Amino acid sequence: MDKLGFKTQKDFASGLNLEPGTISPMISGKRPITNPFKERLDFKFNVNINWLETGEGEPFLKKGPVVSESKEGVPYFNVSLSDNDIRSFGDEQAEYFVNYKPFNDCTCYLPVYGDSMYPKYASGEIIAVREITNFEILQWGEAYVIMTDEKANHLRSIKLIHQHSDENKLILRSSNPNFKGDTIIAKESIMALYIIKGKITRNFI
């Protein structure tokens, strides 16, 4: 749980699509770790089962993304959206490059900060984003990184985008139920828009 960044058993269970009561006896040691549970750890988080059972080897197996300092793959920028504009970065400012075929058509990778999009995107995870230039063709209900001008208070955020009754406006919504209320913006205020194609955890790279 610690290595994966889960603070509670409830969050850990949610990440594995299990009920908290299912994993609690295994975590407390009252029940042996079952094979189905091991399989979920392997499938969902690339946990090295040999390490889990014996303590030998690395905790996680690198089955997916390959990280390189050479310009092979998609750049990762270790920045906060509140402070930066993705479009202002060049390859020389990338911390490293991630070569992962499913996301190699993306613009870049970015870290997630904050909890407004939890549990869809948790703080500490890394998202792969691709720039959208035609704001008339959007996938309603999908998550986007959105950047706006001064008319929309220079908003820099990750939000679900929903259709507004006025075709010139958009509804922005958090996936975390604790962040209630919608934000309405005009399409003309959008300076940059990036659809989130997927996510990876730092343990994978």
Side-chain angles (χ1 to χ4, degrees):
M1 283 176 58
D2 290 341
K3 290 184 179 296
L4 288 169
F6 290 106
K7 296 180 181 179
T8 67
Q9 290 185 24
K10 182 178 180 181
D11 289 343
F12 187 34
S14 177
L16 291 165
N17 295 324
L18 293 172
E19 293 296 324
T22 303
I23 68 171
S24 182
M26 289 185 279
I27 292 177
S28 65
K30 294 179 180 179
R31 178 185 175 190
I33 299 176
T34 63
N35 287 330
F37 183 59
K38 293 176 186 178
E39 291 171 0
R40 280 180 182 258
L41 289 171
D42 176 26
F43 178 75
K44 293 280 289 185
F45 299 117
N46 286 359
V47 172
N48 183 348
I49 303 305
N50 182 61
W51 168 83
L52 185 70
E53 295 175 335
T54 68
E56 298 178 357
E58 295 296 321
F60 302 98
L61 299 174
K62 294 186 177 181
K63 299 178 181 179
V66 176
V67 171
S68 172
E69 293 184 0
S70 63
K71 297 180 180 180
E72 295 181 5
V74 176
Y76 166 76
F77 299 118
N78 188 20
V79 299
S80 171
L81 289 177
S82 61
D83 299 327
N84 297 280
D85 187 331
I86 301 172
R87 295 174 302 167
S88 67
F89 290 98
D91 285 353
E92 68 279 359
Q93 295 168 282
E95 187 164 315
Y96 47 75
F97 292 78
V98 181
N99 191 346
Y100 186 43
K101 190 174 181 179
F103 300 148
N104 276 355
D105 63 340
C106 289
T107 304
C108 65
Y109 288 90
L110 296 169
V112 175
Y113 292 99
D115 298 318
S116 68
M117 292 299 290
Y118 184 84
K120 191 175 182 67
Y121 301 107
S123 183
E125 291 180 330
I126 296 173
I127 53 174
V129 304
R130 186 176 66 191
E131 185 169 15
I132 299 297
T133 55
N134 186 348
F135 303 156
E136 301 304 317
I137 302 178
L138 300 175
Q139 297 180 46
W140 305 123
E142 292 296 323
Y144 289 79
V145 171
I146 187 165
M147 299 182 173
T148 66
D149 60 18
E150 66 280 357
K151 293 180 181 178
N153 298 324
H154 293 287
L155 178 68
R156 303 284 190 275
S157 186
I158 300 172
K159 287 288 183 284
L160 301 175
I161 291 184
H162 293 272
Q163 189 173 22
H164 193 279
S165 56
D166 183 342
E167 63 179 17
N168 295 313
K169 296 180 180 180
L170 296 174
I171 299 173
L172 308 183
R173 186 174 297 159
S174 299
S175 61
N176 189 332
N178 294 323
F179 288 72
K180 298 178 181 179
D182 294 338
T183 300
I184 310 298
I185 65 165
K187 287 182 180 179
E188 64 180 9
S189 289
I190 300 174
M191 296 178 63
L193 191 64
Y194 302 80
I195 189 169
I196 300 178
K197 290 203 63 182
K199 65 180 181 181
I200 54 179
T201 65
R202 294 182 186 277
N203 294 316
F204 286 5
I205 57 176

